[in-house]
Amino acid sequence: MTMAVFTLPHRAMLAALAATLALAGCASMAPPYAPPPLPVAAQYPETDPAGAHAPDVAWQSYFADPRLQALIAQALASNRDIRIAALRVEEARAAYGIQRAEQFPTIALGASGSRARVPDDLSPTGRAMTSAQYQAGLNVSAWELDFWGRVRSLKDSALQTLLASDEARRAVGVALVAQVANGYLGLRELDERVELARATVDSRAESLRIFTRRFEVGSISKLDLTQVETLLSQALSLSAQLEQARAVQAHALAQLVGGPVDLTPVAAEVRRFDDANVLQPLHAGLPSALLTQRPDLIAAEHQLRAAQANIGAARAAFFPTISLTAAYGTASAELNGLFDSGSGAWNLAPRLVLPIFDAGRLRANMELAEVRRDVAVANYEKSVQGAFREVADALSNRRWLALQVDIGKTTLAAQSERARLAKLRYDNGAAPYLEVLDAQRDLLTVEQQLVQTRRALLSSQVSLYAALGGGAPVAAAAASTH
């Protein structure tokens, strides 16, 4: 018993298959992509001074502190969020590979054999008979001929999702660099504030020792002594609060970095960071430049393109689906004759399915794809608006915090002179110690506020660097689009 054989010559069958391969996937019913207009102003509301272009400045160059550079490098290698983002890219790459393979036929090598006995009463000859069939060859199973571009649109959607996931990975890297930098600056701020608090404690402890001796000899009142004790208690309380805040900040930074790190305070001679020289000036440019600078905006655009491609797949589903099943090999009634001359066999089985009634399923599927496209447009516009605001906020913060730092320096100088004069007046008996108490309390507050403001100014520059797309890790190799 042999496999059924058609009269079409083998070469004609191969030519038909080749023509089908050429025609399949030629069409696409996805709507043409047009980027939405920018839903923001053409320029930022704040003045944009000259400076470097953030995406052109690697984080290794922007952050000059070697200790911070080491922390960022370790975070990019060990942080779990960026590791998950990298795995999402590999997940999307595998999904794209699966969808891309749907464009091509699946060819498998198969072999089968069977024997059957027909009893007397079922045999057309009235006599029992035994039949056998053996086959071997190449098989193509239910390969869809993509005349309307459905499979191609799904492949394009998977590709855009892959590219979006890779840009999302880079966006996580940008955020991580900024978080580590801000965490480190916060730690340095607390180091300096702790040092100021400790120096104040030491100074006030010495004052208490001197005033205790004076009280013992009767040269000052008990009120003066208790005021000095109050000053020392306040300094001790502030020092304890700052030590607690530093420990919490160190723990948070260690989690960001993703592993154990040395976060002991830096040497006192290098503890104070100069806000004028730590980070270089940046040029923000125009809002339209953000579309090619920020990985999260690029990812949102790829998601929009993926939604467009899904509309093409939904539209193509309204048209006939043509699939092909084929086999080419040998067949024989005897196993030992399977590869004899004349045993060649093939079959070709096209199948066409035209949807007639589906209770509105295809229409609803297309409407769903269109709504998801509209959602992607809204998300894209929202991302652009959010990016615009982040840059505008960072520019405003940089401008006004720089002014606050200048004011803080002037205030610190005035408060230092006030504390000196108040102490001199008390020593000469011209003023009560309460005046000294107020002056020293205000001086400590101003010292602490100035350190906080200087750190906030540096953080605004870090935020501007990240908002402009600076610090993005190198993009992964682009996926093949063939």
Side-chain angles (χ1 to χ4, degrees):
M1 181 176 173
T2 60
M3 180 186 293
V5 179
F6 296 97
T7 59
L8 185 65
H10 296 176
R11 290 185 180 179
M13 185 195 74
L14 294 176
L17 284 173
T20 302
L21 282 169
L23 289 173
C26 290
S28 176
M29 308 196 73
Y33 174 76
L38 287 180
V40 294
Q43 292 183 335
Y44 297 110
E46 290 293 331
T47 303
D48 182 20
H53 193 222
D56 297 335
V57 182
W59 61 262
Q60 296 92 334
S61 302
Y62 190 67
F63 301 107
D65 190 316
R67 202 177 190 193
L68 176 55
Q69 290 179 350
L71 290 173
I72 293 176
Q74 184 175 346
L76 292 174
S78 304
N79 180 268
R80 298 311 185 267
D81 288 335
I82 202 166
R83 186 176 299 179
I84 292 172
L87 292 173
R88 293 296 185 195
V89 175
E90 297 306 314
E91 178 185 26
R93 191 184 306 278
Y96 166 70
I98 293 172
Q99 193 58 58
R100 180 175 178 270
E102 292 293 325
Q103 290 184 300
F104 305 96
T106 299
I107 301 176
L109 177 64
S112 63
S114 65
R115 290 179 62 86
R117 181 181 183 278
V118 181
D120 301 358
D121 55 348
L122 295 180
S123 173
T125 63
R127 300 176 57 186
M129 58 181 297
T130 300
S131 63
Q133 179 178 348
Y134 301 93
Q135 302 178 79
L138 300 176
N139 301 309
V140 176
S141 177
W143 171 45
E144 181 177 344
L145 307 182
D146 196 25
F147 288 110
W148 321 115
R150 189 188 74 87
V151 177
R152 182 181 178 183
S153 293
L154 292 175
K155 185 266 296 184
D156 291 342
S157 176
L159 174 61
Q160 294 300 326
T161 301
L162 167 59
L163 296 175
S165 66
D166 189 45
E167 293 299 333
R169 175 190 64 85
R170 297 179 65 234
V172 171
V174 170
L176 180 61
V177 169
Q179 287 172 348
V180 173
N182 277 321
Y184 178 73
L185 291 175
L187 198 66
R188 291 287 300 273
E189 173 206 329
L190 288 167
D191 284 342
E192 189 170 336
R193 293 178 64 193
V194 166
E195 184 66 21
L196 288 172
R198 288 175 178 173
T200 302
V201 167
D202 293 341
S203 174
R204 293 181 181 179
E206 178 63 17
S207 297
L208 179 61
R209 185 187 67 81
I210 295 173
F211 272 65
T212 301
R213 294 290 302 274
R214 290 180 179 180
F215 174 72
E216 290 173 351
V217 299
S219 62
I220 62 171
S221 67
K222 180 67 174 178
L223 177 61
D224 289 342
L225 180 63
T226 55
Q227 289 174 338
V228 175
E229 291 174 342
T230 300
L231 278 178
L232 177 59
S233 298
Q234 291 173 345
L236 287 170
S237 176
L238 176 61
S239 179
Q241 293 173 12
L242 293 175
E243 292 283 6
Q244 177 192 9
R246 188 197 185 280
V248 173
Q249 182 73 12
H251 300 159
L253 185 55
Q255 182 183 9
L256 274 178
V257 170
V261 290
D262 179 16
L263 296 177
T264 56
V266 297
E269 60 271 14
V270 296
R271 182 166 297 150
R272 188 180 186 279
F273 43 93
D274 185 357
D275 46 84
N277 299 319
V278 172
L279 304 175
Q280 58 183 297
L282 294 174
H283 176 57
L286 296 176
S288 58
L290 287 177
L291 303 184
T292 58
Q293 291 176 1
R294 285 186 50 137
D296 59 333
L297 298 186
I298 300 175
E301 184 174 9
H302 283 306
Q303 292 289 5
L304 177 54
R305 289 178 179 269
Q308 291 276 102
N310 285 332
I311 292 178
R315 288 178 176 177
F318 284 90
F319 294 84
T321 300
I322 304 173
S323 59
L324 177 67
T325 299
Y328 181 82
T330 66
S332 175
E334 300 293 339
L335 183 59
N336 57 6
L338 188 59
F339 297 102
D340 288 349
S341 176
S343 63
W346 58 267
N347 67 50
L348 184 64
R351 181 171 178 265
L352 183 146
V353 176
L354 176 63
I356 296 178
F357 175 75
D358 63 357
R361 182 180 291 108
L362 292 178
R363 174 65 59 182
N365 191 50
M366 189 178 72
E367 291 175 354
L368 175 63
E370 291 175 343
V371 169
R372 287 177 173 172
R373 187 270 313 275
D374 294 340
V375 170
V377 170
N379 282 331
Y380 177 74
E381 293 174 341
K382 179 182 177 181
S383 298
V384 172
Q385 290 176 336
F388 179 89
R389 177 185 174 181
E390 288 176 9
V391 176
D393 286 349
L395 289 171
S396 296
N397 291 339
R398 183 174 66 175
R399 173 187 175 187
W400 295 110
L401 285 169
L403 179 60
Q404 291 177 49
V405 168
D406 292 338
I407 296 173
K409 291 177 179 178
T410 302
T411 305
L412 178 61
Q415 286 292 346
S416 298
E417 181 65 10
R418 175 194 169 197
R420 187 187 71 82
L421 294 175
K423 181 67 166 55
L424 185 61
R425 281 167 52 82
Y426 173 76
D427 291 340
N428 292 327
Y433 195 77
L434 182 61
E435 184 175 318
V436 178
L437 178 70
D438 290 339
Q440 291 190 353
R441 184 187 297 114
D442 292 343
L443 175 60
L444 179 60
T445 300
V446 169
E447 288 176 335
Q448 296 286 327
Q449 288 177 344
L450 179 57
V451 175
Q452 290 177 292
T453 306
R454 287 173 45 245
R455 196 295 301 255
L457 175 59
L458 290 176
S459 292
S460 72
Q461 294 176 261
V462 173
S463 298
L464 179 60
Y465 180 64
L468 294 174
V474 178
S480 171
T481 57
H482 299 294

